[in-house]
Amino acid sequence: MKLDLTLLLSAAIGAQTVFGTPIRSRTPYLTKETHNVPRKWSKLGRAPGDHKLHLQIGMKQENFDELDRQLYEVSDPEHSRYGQHLSFDAVNELVKPAEESLDLVHEWLLTNGVSEFSYSPAKDWINIYVDVASAERLLDTEYSVFQHEDGSVLVRTSTWSLPAHLHEHVDTIQPTTSFMRTAPKKTDWVQFAEPFTPAGYKPPTNETIAKVCRLFTVTIECFQTLYGTLNYHQKVPGINRIGFNNYLNQTPIRPDIFSFLEKYRPEAAPNAYAFRSIEIAGGPAAQYTPLTLEQAAGDDISKEANLDAQTILGMTFPQPVYSYSTGGSPPFIPDINTPTDTNEPYLTWVNYVMGQEDVPQVISSSYGDDEQSIPKSYADRVCKQFAQLGARGISLLVSSGDGGLGDEDGTSCYSNDGKNSTTFLPEFPAACPYVTTVGATMQFEPEVSALREPGIGPDGNTHGFYASGSGFSYYFPRPSYQDKVVPPYVSALNGLYDGLYNKNGRAYPDVSAQGLYFAFWWNGTESSISGTSASCPLMSSVISLVNDALISSGKAPLGFLNPWLYSKGYQGFTDILNGSSHGCGVTGFPVTKGWDPVTGLGTPVFPELVKLAGC
Ligand SMILES: *[C@@H]1O[C@H](CO)[C@@H](O)[C@H](O)[C@H]1NC(C)=O
Ligand SMILES: *[C@@H]1O[C@H](CO)[C@@H](O)[C@H](O)[C@H]1NC(C)=O
Ligand SMILES: *[C@@H]1O[C@H](CO)[C@@H](O)[C@H](O)[C@H]1NC(C)=O
Ligand SMILES: *[C@@H]1O[C@H](CO)[C@@H](O)[C@H](O)[C@H]1NC(C)=O
């Protein structure tokens, strides 16, 4: 719909003479965004007017294109500026909004009685705390309480408006139409018993590998041997650091981490009580005491966090490790009167980190949701926020998801655009071009893409479907670094699955690592766990060790990895040749020679990566 803004503005000027208030606050409201409520969510009723919301207003960034240009220069190994990452201030200068935009939004807020706001470091986000009734007036909308099939509850709306003159100054405001939830990408957890053995599995024949790598369970020593980090001695731990993200009240349980390390990386065990815990927006601190019975009975509490901590501490000792716990407040009490106030936690986290001088060079994040559960405007802005981390020289790795192309049988593989057409379901932030997305493999010699068919295992437990996440974004076009590999892959498909994915979208994963049956400690006992959630901290650890070699030889850390990975780094990966993406009821994209959207460029060969990085 095209609107005549001149007409609207003159109507507004007319209004001014009557009310004597600023002209611009008086332009009529026009719909800014509509986004369908995703499948699996149903409306329970009106949201209580006094429920508190933390609204994040994404201001249009004045110079993002320039930031993007500079990000690619400093991340391209062929460019003269390679490795010359931008300072905190330089990044902020590039993404700050225009003064005029800030003035107009301030005026609008003040006119509506909102006088307290805070900002992200670059002022590209304005935070306000208002109740639902005020937010409804500000955005000319109506909030409802929505419930997911799994029981969780959110306060959201499917459409919202802004005065016409503000449309060009504001990119997005959330929480409004985003139904993103940051589910951990870990699949099920197996206690003790030997689980399924994949069809055709052959134990490794190489003696060195056979000695340390078993299908069940896979240990730190196996990863170190398989990927070649075993004999590497770090030179600058402390200058070089690594971090990982926890959301949804996940936090590492230190006694479990200690028990795991004592068995699988004994010299690292004291670090279980020493790694840094950073709490953001009320996120829980890493816990010094074992899980209580009540905690352990909760839904998967701390399994993801324990997995990340165990993998990273096990792989990167003696490097300092930062555990970021980002909260949503108030605490989760799923009931219509006190719905969850999830603060769109990626944004809360990334804005916090952007305000810090002391940030690890590599950060692992094993959480995600369907891309289509998030409106495009919001996905765009969160993704741009990740570009800012890259410009500062920070590598952000995310897991590709555990459902292959979507779900197992296709019951959820439908579009949310009102057409309800059959489609593969890409994930966010896996599909953001400014992150490095990690898929999962299993077995050894050769490694193949991870797959576990569902069923009841010999241990009597039910195992869900698990396949390494794969996809093509509908929101983000293919970044230039993928131009050499993705079009040839797509044309070799010869029309297979045409219409079910976006051939011109950003495709993922970029790389992969082991992701089935990791040795694992939780609630005081040993068990095993699987998922691209496991692959992501593992790959992040290997990248962090490459950074140690770089920094100790006076070079910059790798920063935003993808331009380097696709032009040079790929030669330091073992190409995976077997498997398929599975999911949405089909066999899915085949794993092939070269890059494929299941295992990316392959699994790391650390000594080669160190050489290719220029050490
Ligand atoms: C066996 O694997 C180890 C560790 O990856 C490797 O160094 C060695 O060359 C391999 N041996 C053979 C015979 O391939
Ligand atoms: C956690 O450990 C306690 C103590 O060993 C045990 O009683 C409880 O059943 C465990 N909970 C779960 C969910 O495994
Ligand atoms: C979408 O189509 C599928 C298959 O025809 C159907 O099962 C489902 O209920 C439809 N969903 C909506 C929201 O219309
Ligand atoms: C993997 O693929 C290669 C080449 O296509 C084939 O020879 C081999 O048998 C496959 N291995 C497995 C474990 O599927």
Side-chain angles (χ1 to χ4, degrees):
M1 180 175 56
K2 199 136 191 235
L3 284 145
D4 185 350
L5 274 185
T6 337
L7 194 74
L8 292 167
L9 281 172
S10 54
I13 290 164
Q16 189 222 6
T17 53
V18 179
F19 298 103
T21 45
I23 301 170
R24 290 172 175 279
S25 296
R26 292 283 172 185
T27 56
Y29 273 79
L30 297 179
T31 302
K32 172 73 176 161
E33 183 171 66
T34 300
H35 186 244
N36 294 328
V37 176
R39 295 170 54 84
K40 300 189 180 170
W41 288 95
S42 50
K43 196 189 275 195
L44 295 183
R46 269 306 280 277
D50 60 355
H51 174 68
K52 286 270 183 273
L53 290 173
H54 166 196
L55 283 187
Q56 299 179 301
I57 304 172
M59 303 294 299
K60 185 163 183 60
Q61 298 168 325
E62 207 174 4
N63 242 329
F64 182 82
D65 291 348
E66 180 59 20
L67 177 93
D68 177 74
R69 195 180 65 77
Q70 297 197 25
L71 167 67
Y72 278 102
E73 287 183 2
V74 303
S75 312
D76 170 7
E78 298 308 320
H79 199 278
S80 58
R81 279 185 74 188
Y82 183 60
Q84 295 171 33
H85 300 123
L86 278 66
S87 69
F88 172 67
D89 291 333
V91 169
N92 287 343
E93 188 57 29
L94 288 170
V95 299
K96 70 180 187 349
E99 280 303 323
E100 189 204 1
S101 305
L102 282 173
D103 288 348
L104 291 170
V105 170
H106 287 156
E107 182 194 53
W108 165 65
L109 291 174
L110 287 167
T111 326
N112 284 283
V114 180
S115 54
E116 279 181 40
F117 11 89
S118 64
Y119 303 94
S120 64
K123 291 200 168 178
D124 55 338
W125 291 91
I126 302 178
N127 299 294
I128 62 172
Y129 295 86
V130 291
D131 57 22
V132 161
S134 311
E136 289 181 340
R137 282 193 302 272
L138 270 174
L139 305 177
D140 190 21
T141 186
E142 199 170 276
Y143 277 89
S144 299
V145 178
F146 293 90
Q147 184 164 39
H148 191 269
E149 277 175 13
D150 71 9
S152 51
V153 175
L154 288 175
V155 169
R156 293 293 184 269
T157 175
S158 56
T159 181
W160 57 282
S161 299
L162 273 185
H165 72 281
L166 294 181
H167 281 221
E168 61 178 298
H169 301 283
V170 172
D171 284 338
T172 182
I173 299 180
Q174 293 297 342
T176 50
T177 50
S178 172
F179 285 76
M180 170 166 68
R181 296 167 323 142
T182 44
K185 294 292 125 188
K186 60 139 202 42
T187 178
D188 56 23
W189 169 69
V190 185
Q191 239 179 326
F192 307 118
E194 182 83 25
F196 299 109
T197 300
Y201 173 69
K202 291 192 203 73
T205 51
N206 175 314
E207 266 180 39
T208 318
I209 294 174
K211 224 165 100 190
V212 294
C213 292
R214 288 171 310 276
L215 183 69
F216 185 85
T217 54
V218 200
T219 62
I220 297 292
E221 196 184 8
C222 171
F223 305 138
Q224 291 175 316
T225 309
L226 205 56
Y227 298 148
T229 67
L230 189 61
N231 298 315
Y232 182 71
H233 294 286
Q234 292 178 66
K235 297 170 199 78
V236 287
I239 298 174
N240 190 37
R241 295 152 348 262
I242 183 168
F244 62 95
N245 274 338
N246 308 291
Y247 296 114
L248 300 172
N249 281 328
Q250 290 271 337
T251 196
I253 307 302
R254 295 180 187 271
D256 286 334
I257 316 297
F258 183 86
S259 304
F260 172 87
L261 292 171
E262 206 178 29
K263 180 160 177 187
Y264 292 111
R265 189 81 204 265
E267 69 272 36
N271 262 17
Y273 290 99
F275 69 83
R276 269 186 75 178
S277 166
I278 297 154
E279 298 91 44
I280 305 163
Q287 190 169 314
Y288 284 90
T289 50
L291 284 170
T292 61
L293 270 183
E294 196 189 355
Q295 281 180 315
D299 187 25
D300 277 351
I301 192 66
S302 286
K303 283 184 188 150
E304 178 67 57
N306 274 10
L307 169 61
D308 294 344
Q310 289 167 19
T311 306
I312 289 177
L313 285 155
M315 288 295 291
T316 66
F317 175 79
Q319 213 176 114
V321 173
Y322 292 31
S323 164
Y324 293 100
S325 287
T326 306
S329 52
F332 185 82
I333 308 166
D335 132 359
I336 186 160
N337 295 315
T338 49
T340 49
D341 175 16
T342 50
N343 280 346
E344 302 297 346
Y346 290 117
L347 196 53
T348 305
W349 171 75
V350 77
N351 280 337
Y352 169 86
V353 168
M354 285 305 296
Q356 304 294 303
E357 290 290 341
D358 176 20
V359 183
Q361 293 90 341
V362 174
I363 297 172
S364 173
S365 193
S366 291
Y367 297 77
D369 201 352
D370 291 345
E371 184 182 72
Q372 67 176 4
S373 69
I374 309 154
K376 181 171 186 304
S377 64
Y378 184 63
D380 260 342
R381 279 301 302 272
V382 174
C383 183
K384 284 178 172 173
Q385 224 73 10
F386 295 150
Q388 297 172 37
L389 286 180
R392 285 184 63 190
I394 297 157
S395 309
L396 179 62
L397 292 92
V398 309
S399 10
S400 70
D402 294 344
L405 295 166
D407 64 4
E408 178 195 352
D409 54 6
T411 47
S412 322
C413 299
Y414 295 102
S415 71
N416 188 41
D417 55 2
K419 297 184 187 132
N420 194 35
S421 41
T422 308
T423 184
F424 298 154
L425 296 178
E427 288 217 1
F428 184 83
C432 165
Y434 298 118
V435 303
T436 299
T437 303
V438 186
T441 60
M442 62 182 188
Q443 307 179 29
F444 326 94
E445 295 190 307
E447 286 181 76
V448 306
S449 63
L451 170 70
R452 208 216 25 245
E453 301 283 3
I456 297 176
D459 58 353
N461 288 324
T462 306
H463 303 276
F465 166 76
Y466 161 44
S468 176
S470 165
F472 290 72
S473 177
Y474 283 104
Y475 286 175
F476 301 101
R478 184 177 60 246
S480 57
Y481 58 75
Q482 289 189 319
D483 280 350
K484 281 208 183 103
V485 296
V486 176
Y489 180 88
V490 167
S491 55
L493 288 176
N494 255 322
L496 183 68
Y497 306 130
D498 267 10
L500 297 176
Y501 71 101
N502 176 18
K503 291 180 178 178
N504 301 313
R506 187 278 201 258
Y508 65 85
D510 299 301
V511 288
S512 51
Q514 288 276 316
L516 188 74
Y517 302 141
F518 277 37
F520 178 63
W521 225 282
W522 181 77
N523 191 34
T525 48
E526 189 169 3
S527 54
S528 100
I529 198 162
S530 307
T532 52
S533 289
S535 316
C536 186
L538 177 54
M539 177 63 76
S540 301
S541 299
V542 175
I543 294 296
S544 177
L545 296 178
V546 177
N547 275 346
D548 178 87
L550 278 168
I551 295 169
S552 64
S553 57
K555 299 201 161 72
L558 289 166
F560 174 42
L561 295 167
N562 300 1
W564 175 75
L565 285 175
Y566 284 85
S567 66
K568 205 170 172 186
Y570 71 93
Q571 300 163 84
F573 285 80
T574 303
D575 190 10
I576 306 302
L577 302 171
N578 303 78
S580 291
S581 64
H582 298 273
C584 291
V586 295
T587 309
F589 296 124
V591 176
T592 59
K593 190 162 168 11
W595 178 90
D596 55 70
V598 193
T599 59
L601 300 165
T603 58
V605 185
F606 174 72
E608 292 302 316
L609 289 172
V610 168
K611 277 186 227 149
L612 290 161
C615 304

